[in-house]
Amino acid sequence: MSLSASRRVAFLVLQELDSGGDPGSLLHSSAMDGISNLDVGLATEIIYGTLRWQGELDFVLSYFSRRNLETIAKPLLLSLRIGLYQ
């Protein structure tokens, strides 16, 4: 099973946000080129929803994780947040 375009873009944008930048400008970057309006809408919802609920998502993840969230690799933690948000 391959990753949908909207989820791939959401992951890439959220990953870039860790390095700095704002989601608004990243949503208008080349990452959005070539995907449908429907995928843009879903990617936008995933990005802003994951950011908006990050504190609560991390609370739930830390409750169920045997590891401290700071010890989890950033790409994996980001994937867990996105998955839990969805």
Side-chain angles (χ1 to χ4, degrees):
M1 177 185 286
S2 66
L3 189 61
S4 71
S6 53
R7 288 171 180 86
R8 179 184 51 79
V9 167
F11 179 84
L12 293 173
V13 168
L14 287 167
Q15 195 171 35
E16 285 295 317
L17 286 174
D18 260 357
S19 306
D22 68 290
S25 64
L26 290 171
L27 282 171
H28 298 289
S29 69
S30 61
M32 294 294 202
D33 291 348
I35 67 172
S36 72
N37 288 338
L38 189 61
D39 283 332
V40 169
L42 179 56
T44 302
E45 174 59 34
I46 293 169
I47 292 164
Y48 283 111
T50 301
L51 291 172
R52 182 174 42 250
W53 290 94
Q54 184 171 327
E56 288 83 353
L57 297 171
D58 285 353
F59 177 80
V60 172
L61 290 172
S62 65
Y63 179 80
F64 287 103
S65 177
R66 293 183 182 159
R67 296 171 49 191
N68 191 325
L69 294 186
E70 287 81 31
T71 65
I72 298 174
K74 291 283 186 180
L76 176 57
L77 181 58
L78 181 55
S79 297
L80 290 169
R81 287 176 180 152
I82 291 170
L84 184 58
Y85 174 72
Q86 289 188 296

